[in-house]
Amino acid sequence: MSYYILADRFLLEDGEKKGGYLKVENGKFDDFIDTVPEGSEIEDWSGYTIAPGLFDTHIHGVNGYDIMDGTVEAVQAISASILEQGVTRFLPTTLTSSTSDIEQAIKAITEADEQALPGAQSEGIFLEGPYFTEKHKGAQNPDHFKTPDLKEFQEWQKIAKDSIVKIALAPEREHTMQFIKDVTGTGVQVSIAHTDASYDCCKQAVSEGANNYVHLFNGMSGLHHREPGVVGAALTDNNVYAELICDGHHVHPDIATLASEIKKEKLILITDCMRAGLMPDGEYQLGEFKVVMKDGIAKTEFGSLAGSTLQLINGVKNLQKWSGKPLYEIWHKGSLSPALSLGKDTRLGSISKGKVADYVVLDQSLDVHATAVEGTIKFKK
């Protein structure tokens, strides 16, 4: 199956292309051409912009559902809901909970993926916890924090049928360095999160294989000129990635812009969205905690930010507005940078010949009018 996309503008890795036709063949991007063969099928998006599909590597839930519900229905509903926000790929994300709850969530994600997801496609499971420390716990339940256990992780990976691609932990916990070395040796990415580790401890964790910092500035020790801490370790290492929640609440817009300038293509836009996303203000559940959302901001009863209600398309809009940078540059922090961080950039993340034809149709306000997965339009306004 092949067709051609006609649009006013295409967002490419190195800039923007004005006009022309982009060929899609067998679910993958092909070449740009100026004229199409007679009788060709054309998707006419004159007046619109075509951008690569967004990739949310850290999302717990949305629209009333959460991955920790532990049901196939929840995973499928999340997949469908985020498609309307331009997200074509995601990592279903767990959080710290009991062993049985984590295992049930893993089973549900695996089963839902095997049954075929209706919208955005899963690129593997992200375990956020339970190997954290209490000082920067955020909305993670410290009752379930523990030391990394390779045998436990291997059992989870067995349940997941080897689909766990990332795990977040606090590197200062005992035996963590060997754990990082062991799991990264199997191809699993390790992220640093909910931690009070020192700068040197973080650097050691990176030397053992960790390659990412979860929701930069949140859930970690801050920057000080004599003790750079976790934030300092993230900002001064050009070889590691850092996630950022650009909702204007988790990080001040000017600091978000500064982080973007420093990290460049190593900055990953995420949502950390929980079930209250796309829902009205009120009371919700995040894991074992009650959460109150007011004016779109979700907090636990003890005052901590509880994930976010951000949609990734809005994170892109925000950072582009705050930074004043070209749209294509900021957009790829939500598409290509996530793919690069997971070693999936040869398949995903940008409009390039041979890559999967995941794309988003945007109007002049950057609102999503259609989203395609592997060349098939799955959402259309």
Side-chain angles (χ1 to χ4, degrees), residues 280-319:
D281 283 353
E283 290 189 359
Y284 297 91
Q285 200 76 17
L286 178 61
E288 298 171 37
F289 293 133
K290 182 186 292 184
V291 171
V292 177
M293 181 172 71
K294 183 178 180 182
D295 298 325
I297 304 171
K299 292 184 178 181
T300 63
E301 291 180 299
F302 44 87
S304 294
L305 286 168
S308 86
T309 60
L310 179 68
Q311 301 306 298
L312 195 49
I313 183 68
N314 293 330
V316 171
K317 290 181 184 180
N318 287 340
L319 187 56

Side-chain angles (χ1 to χ4, degrees), residues 118-312:
Q121 298 298 295
S122 168
E123 286 294 320
I125 299 170
F126 174 24
L127 299 182
E128 190 185 8
Y131 308 138
F132 293 142
T133 49
E134 190 165 351
K135 186 171 182 180
H136 298 284
K137 65 181 184 296
Q140 304 276 336
N141 190 343
D143 291 345
H144 301 298
F145 288 169
K146 50 186 165 180
T147 297
D149 184 329
L150 184 60
K151 288 185 178 179
E152 178 178 61
F153 177 79
Q154 289 171 335
E155 180 60 30
W156 290 342
Q157 190 67 289
K158 183 178 179 181
I159 295 170
K161 300 182 180 178
D162 293 321
S163 64
I164 299 171
V165 297
K166 185 162 72 168
I167 183 169
L169 48 73
E172 68 268 36
R173 291 202 72 109
E174 192 177 6
H175 308 308
T176 298
M177 297 304 166
Q178 186 61 48
F179 179 86
I180 294 172
K181 187 174 182 179
D182 289 338
V183 299
T184 56
T186 67
V188 175
Q189 304 289 342
V190 170
S191 295
I192 294 171
H194 295 286
T195 172
D196 195 40
S198 67
Y199 176 86
D200 290 339
C201 180
C202 290
K203 299 293 280 187
Q204 184 183 355
V206 170
S207 73
E208 296 295 349
N211 82 327
N212 182 45
Y213 288 82
V214 174
H215 42 53
L216 184 63
F217 302 108
N218 293 279
M220 59 182 63
S221 55
L223 177 66
H224 187 276
H225 58 284
R226 285 191 293 272
E227 172 47 62
V230 183
V231 170
L235 292 177
T236 58
D237 190 338
N238 295 329
N239 296 313
V240 297
Y241 292 86
E243 302 176 354
L244 199 65
I245 306 171
C246 286
D247 60 359
H249 308 302
H250 282 76
V251 180
H252 188 281
D254 288 345
I255 299 302
T257 299
L258 177 64
S260 179
E261 289 287 330
I262 293 170
K263 296 304 294 181
K264 298 183 174 22
E265 75 280 357
K266 298 289 186 180
L267 188 80
I268 303 170
L269 295 182
I270 61 154
T271 63
D272 196 14
C273 190
M274 47 86 73
R275 73 170 76 245
L278 298 179
M279 299 290 285
D281 283 353
E283 290 189 359
Y284 297 91
Q285 200 76 17
L286 178 61
E288 298 171 37
F289 293 133
K290 182 186 292 184
V291 171
V292 177
M293 181 172 71
K294 183 178 180 182
D295 298 325
I297 304 171
K299 292 184 178 181
T300 63
E301 291 180 299
F302 44 87
S304 294
L305 286 168
S308 86
T309 60
L310 179 68
Q311 301 306 298
L312 195 49

Side-chain angles (χ1 to χ4, degrees), residues 100-132:
S100 60
D101 284 350
I102 291 173
E103 290 180 352
Q104 180 56 40
I106 292 171
K107 289 175 184 175
I109 297 166
T110 306
E111 186 177 344
D113 199 28
E114 289 176 341
Q115 290 182 14
L117 295 174
Q121 298 298 295
S122 168
E123 286 294 320
I125 299 170
F126 174 24
L127 299 182
E128 190 185 8
Y131 308 138
F132 293 142

Side-chain angles (χ1 to χ4, degrees), residues 322-335:
W322 300 338
S323 68
K325 293 294 184 180
L327 178 60
Y328 79 88
E329 182 180 321
I330 301 302
W331 188 277
H332 284 91
K333 296 180 189 297
S335 62

